[in-house]
Amino acid sequence: MTHKYYADEPSFHVAVDCIIFGFEDGNLQVLFQHRNIEPFNGELTPMGGFVQEDETLDEAAYRVLTERTGIKDLFLEQLEAFGDINRDPGGRVISVAYYALLDKAHYDNKLLEKFNCKWVDANNLPTLYFDHMKMMKKAINRLQDKISYTPIALKLLPEEFTMSQIQKLYEAILDEKLDKRNFRKKVCEMPYFVKTGKIDKSCSKRGAAIYVFDYNMYQEHRDFHL
Amino acid sequence: MTHKYYADEPSFHVAVDCIIFGFEDGNLQVLFQHRNIEPFNGELTPMGGFVQEDETLDEAAYRVLTERTGIKDLFLEQLEAFGDINRDPGGRVISVAYYALLDKAHYDNKLLEKFNCKWVDANNLPTLYFDHMKMMKKAINRLQDKISYTPIALKLLPEEFTMSQIQKLYEAILDEKLDKRNFRKKVCEMPYFVKTGKIDKSCSKRGAAIYVFDYNMYQEHRDFHL
DNA sequence: TCAAAAGTGTTAAGTTTACACCCATGA
DNA sequence: TCATGGGTGTAAACTTAACACTTTTGA
């Protein structure tokens, strides 16, 4: 319960909405859930939930995410709060939007049915309701900005990846083709990308070198740019 | 009153906290208010207020700002929401932080007394309580980032300004010296900075050319970089 | 033997940085 | 006449962009 000092001030329901990104088949994807109440019953919305009294905003977002995806190793960051008066026809709700990045390889597709969810290509979004499209745009912009100076995009890939995979990932997020030689040059200049010596033969006959990202080394330098 | 659908969900007091920036004597400054309740009675805090039922978050921030500064022409943008459980010892309050930029020339110093406020140099901040230092850091970082690709910093200056003034402004915000020739070259390459033909003799015997920023022309091009 | 993806360097264009002197004027 | 801030251009360093062919190997 809130403290008496502020008892005369109004109170609001506070929710979190998480824009969850994944990457598959060369496409940036977003996980949506079908609403199961009116209005807009059956329509797609981001993963949301109400903030509870015993949790911070970040904890609420993390709870919603882990509940619905089963994944604990993910990138999660707040976008901003949305508080228009009639943003939710069900009542006044202030929503704090988050975005998250996870490796779809760890996502259990059984959860799709359990939570009535669906992965959708980010460049082919369905109609969204409330202010959810504003949240989406904000999430994509933030993601596009941030991958140029932080390694967060790698959270969308398995721990081990090839140069082609990471280039396709960047191309999908930025929605533009990148020059192969220039891209690889910049990646390989950074010492955090280390060759494992393993070869991935799943995509080509010749096979591609497998890399990992050394997060410890990155912590020391903290200098990333692509 | 909130709608019955969500009646079982918890509610929270929601506040806005505004980091208000001004510029004077070559210094970036922030407007703080002395708290008038325990705990931390008398200590400095950003301008805050509770969100009311009939207003959006942005409206609440704007209301607090105009009430306390008397200024309506200002730049205002949300930073993010802060929702740690015990962030406010007076009770659970979720606070949405904003930052604002205004021209101190339009600020009436009588309001300092009325609201028990104080302008403080941004590079010499007092001890701050709660999570207010986190908000400050976020505000300064955002401001530093954003002035390189938008003209928002000009909201800190009078409509008419000289090249020296804007350079000192950028130096104050970025907290580093800039090269005079390189800075002026980049500014003057942008067509939105237009010479009025007037001369400001208040700072030098020779006098400095007075410029204005043509916001209409900027809207058409939307290409700014310094 | 050929299709498919992996891998690899150089050059030109553009951007950023560093840097020092003359100008106009009021005191 | 001099002290003060206003105003101006160039060259070197660096970064980015454009571009095409060879390698490996499984089918």
Side-chain angles (χ1 to χ4, degrees):
Chain A
M1 289 293 100
T2 44
H3 198 285
K4 63 188 168 171
Y5 292 157
Y6 308 140
D8 292 341
E9 300 294 345
S11 299
F12 302 89
H13 294 306
V14 177
V16 291
D17 277 306
C18 303
I19 314 286
I20 304 177
F21 290 102
F23 179 65
E24 191 164 4
D25 301 330
N27 286 307
L28 184 66
Q29 301 182 333
V30 185
L31 186 61
F32 287 105
Q33 178 166 41
H34 291 278
R35 275 174 74 83
N36 52 13
I37 52 164
E38 293 298 340
F40 305 121
N41 197 349
E43 301 292 349
L44 296 171
T45 76
M47 299 289 147
F50 284 95
V51 176
Q52 302 299 308
E53 283 170 3
D54 61 350
E55 60 187 4
T56 67
L57 298 172
D58 289 358
E59 283 164 2
Y62 189 71
R63 170 176 56 78
V64 166
L65 272 165
T66 50
E67 259 176 29
R68 317 269 175 97
T69 66
I71 296 176
K72 294 191 165 155
D73 175 28
L74 41 75
F75 173 85
L76 176 63
E77 185 176 82
Q78 190 190 127
L79 289 166
E80 69 171 42
F82 289 77
D84 280 2
I85 295 173
N86 296 307
R87 55 174 297 283
D88 184 333
R92 179 83 194 261
V93 177
I94 288 167
S95 175
V96 182
Y98 282 80
Y99 73 114
L101 309 177
L102 53 79
D103 175 9
K104 269 191 82 177
H106 295 149
Y107 179 78
D108 178 359
N109 282 317
K110 285 200 214 74
L111 296 169
L112 286 179
E113 223 175 295
K114 177 163 174 199
F115 291 106
N116 201 13
C117 292
K118 190 181 170 185
W119 287 99
V120 175
D121 283 356
N123 51 23
N124 189 21
L125 289 173
T127 306
L128 294 177
Y129 299 89
F130 310 144
D131 43 14
H132 294 156
M133 189 53 93
K134 265 160 76 182
M135 293 180 185
M136 270 303 315
K137 293 240 164 84
K138 193 127 205 148
I140 291 184
N141 283 337
R142 180 87 133 253
L143 181 57
Q144 288 176 334
D145 277 4
K146 209 146 177 170
I147 59 169
S148 73
Y149 60 91
T150 71
I152 59 171
L154 297 172
K155 291 289 178 190
L156 292 162
L157 290 182
E159 271 195 39
E160 301 193 321
F161 52 85
T162 65
M163 284 293 127
S164 298
Q165 278 178 288
I166 185 177
Q167 183 176 347
K168 282 194 191 108
L169 174 64
Y170 269 75
E171 289 175 339
I173 295 173
L174 298 172
D175 196 20
E176 62 176 335
K177 270 251 153 281
L178 300 173
D179 180 90
K180 184 163 58 155
R181 279 182 285 188
N182 292 336
F183 184 83
R184 288 161 105 105
K185 204 187 310 164
K186 276 202 270 181
V187 170
C188 292
E189 265 166 15
M190 288 188 268
Y192 332 120
F193 287 89
V194 307
K195 251 190 184 139
T196 59
K198 296 188 220 170
I199 303 288
D200 173 11
K201 293 230 168 193
S202 67
C203 290
S204 81
K205 317 191 173 182
R206 174 173 173 180
I210 293 179
Y211 291 77
V212 293
F213 188 81
D214 183 336
Y215 283 95
N216 291 324
M217 204 192 304
Y218 170 67
Q219 289 308 331
E220 284 160 31
H221 299 64
R222 298 206 140 277
D223 178 25
F224 185 99
H225 37 95
L226 267 183
Chain B
M1 287 297 100
T2 45
H3 196 286
K4 62 186 166 171
Y5 291 157
Y6 308 140
D8 291 341
E9 300 294 344
S11 299
F12 303 88
H13 295 305
V14 178
V16 291
D17 277 306
C18 304
I19 314 285
I20 305 175
F21 290 102
F23 178 64
E24 191 164 2
D25 301 329
N27 286 306
L28 183 66
Q29 301 182 334
V30 184
L31 186 60
F32 286 105
Q33 179 167 41
H34 290 278
R35 277 175 72 85
N36 52 14
I37 52 165
E38 294 298 338
F40 304 122
N41 197 350
E43 300 293 346
L44 296 171
T45 78
M47 298 289 148
F50 285 95
V51 176
Q52 302 298 308
E53 283 170 4
D54 61 350
E55 61 187 3
T56 67
L57 298 173
D58 289 358
E59 284 164 0
Y62 190 71
R63 170 177 57 78
V64 166
L65 272 166
T66 51
E67 260 176 29
R68 316 270 175 97
T69 66
I71 296 176
K72 296 193 165 152
D73 174 29
L74 43 76
F75 172 84
L76 176 63
E77 185 177 81
Q78 190 190 127
L79 290 167
E80 70 171 42
F82 289 78
D84 279 2
I85 296 175
N86 295 307
R87 56 173 296 284
D88 184 334
R92 178 85 195 258
V93 177
I94 288 167
S95 176
V96 182
Y98 283 79
Y99 72 113
L101 309 177
L102 54 78
D103 175 10
K104 270 191 81 176
H106 295 149
Y107 179 80
D108 179 357
N109 282 317
K110 284 198 214 76
L111 296 170
L112 286 179
E113 222 174 299
K114 180 164 172 198
F115 291 106
N116 202 14
C117 293
K118 189 181 171 185
W119 286 99
V120 175
D121 283 356
N123 51 22
N124 189 20
L125 290 173
T127 305
L128 294 177
Y129 298 88
F130 309 146
D131 43 14
H132 294 155
M133 189 54 92
K134 266 159 76 181
M135 295 181 183
M136 269 304 315
K137 292 239 166 85
K138 192 128 206 148
I140 290 183
N141 284 337
R142 180 89 133 251
L143 181 57
Q144 288 176 333
D145 277 4
K146 209 147 177 170
I147 59 169
S148 72
Y149 59 93
T150 71
I152 58 171
L154 297 172
K155 291 290 178 190
L156 291 161
L157 289 182
E159 272 194 40
E160 302 192 321
F161 52 84
T162 65
M163 284 295 127
S164 297
Q165 277 178 290
I166 186 179
Q167 181 175 349
K168 283 196 191 105
L169 174 63
Y170 269 74
E171 288 176 340
I173 294 173
L174 299 173
D175 197 20
E176 62 176 335
K177 269 257 161 272
L178 300 173
D179 179 272
K180 184 163 60 157
R181 278 182 287 187
N182 294 335
F183 184 83
R184 288 160 105 107
K185 205 188 308 167
K186 278 201 271 181
V187 170
C188 292
E189 264 164 17
M190 289 187 268
Y192 332 119
F193 287 89
V194 308
K195 252 191 182 139
T196 59
K198 297 188 219 169
I199 302 289
D200 173 11
K201 294 232 169 192
S202 68
C203 290
S204 79
K205 316 190 172 178
R206 174 174 174 180
I210 293 178
Y211 291 77
V212 292
F213 188 81
D214 184 334
Y215 283 95
N216 292 325
M217 202 192 305
Y218 171 66
Q219 289 308 332
E220 286 160 32
H221 299 63
R222 297 205 141 278
D223 178 26
F224 185 99
H225 36 98
L226 266 183

